[in-house]
Amino acid sequence: FVCPDKVASDKIALLRAYGAEVIVCPTSVAPDHPDSYYSVSDRLAREIPAAWKPDQYHNPDNPAAQERTGAEIWEQTRGRITHFVAGVGTGGTITGVGRHLKARNPSVQVIGADPEGSVYSGGSGRPYLVEGIGEDFWPDAYDREIADEVIMVSDRDSFLTARRVTREKGILVGGSSGTAIWAALQVGQKAGHHAVIVVIIPDSGRGYLSKLYDDSWMADHGFLRSGGSAADTVSELLAHKHRHGTPSIPPLVHVHPDETVRQAISILREYGVSQVPVVKAEPPLALAEVVGTVTEHDLLVRLVSTPESFDARVDTVMTPPLPMVGTGEAVEVAASRLAENSAVLVVDGGHPTGIVTRSDLLDFLSGAAR
């Protein structure tokens, strides 16, 4: 079983319990990269004797099978359905169900729910945290003419909606179900009282107990506030830094993997900072686009031992990404992580928004004490 590295550990553990060999691939590479889970699964299908890959992205049996789902929906709603909402992953469900429903009644509205960054809703294929839906390429299983509308949904709205459904309805749903339900709620606000809206809930929340149903994970990724309403938060700490810092410094100073050590040093000097994240795109960033860190200390050690490293690529000298802290977490959480690290990456709604250092924390605490 081949999957991207954003897949919840619960799912991987379950697959291994059933005896599967699980191969985890990086999320942040292009679909045609040899390390992508598309390419790795293709390679394994070629190399393993008698192997077969269903390839739901390009297999016409995928949407064809979902036409039977459309028939069930038509029958169970007695033909009264007015709107059909589904998350778009391989495109098979929305294509197959949509084709059947529109064949029965062309006025049925077919609406896709899509993660922010996915190509279906106009994104460029940049990473997101929701699993199982959205894409960075156009699968053959998806009929681009079938959807009347595709609604872009953020990770925050997806996860918080899934948690709301579980609390209020007692149905333990996953993140992609939250995406679809959030989109269905938007449709419901515009539809008339006589509308019959069907939304597909494709996944259980049992595979996400370590992620969207873990308050610590949600807080670390900037989706929840923690520490009580009276506690100072990392958001306030970051705002204090921006108010009292140098106006010309961007919120997130960064370098790219293909830049040189010489260029990285120039950026550190220009902005007077001691460390910067290494990122694969320009802000606003997805968390998966942060691939490393360059620090003043590490560069100094490297250059003393290997002077020719001035012209080396940043991705050959970088260290792992900084620890992260969510904007809604208490300042004490940032302090505990800064006890072992010189800086932390601040994350809001799954998006890196800044860096906080020990100096920033001391400045904030001294201001609060006055």
Side-chain angles (χ1 to χ4, degrees), residues 64-78:
Q66 293 296 341
E67 291 197 35
R68 294 195 291 273
T69 307
E72 292 178 16
I73 292 171
W74 182 265
E75 178 184 350
Q76 292 176 17
T77 61
R78 297 188 296 279

Side-chain angles (χ1 to χ4, degrees), residues 83 85 151 181-193 195 197:
H83 299 75
V85 184
I151 297 175
I181 294 167
W182 191 89
L185 290 171
Q186 310 315 302
V187 172
Q189 290 177 359
K190 297 181 291 185
H193 291 297
I197 303 170

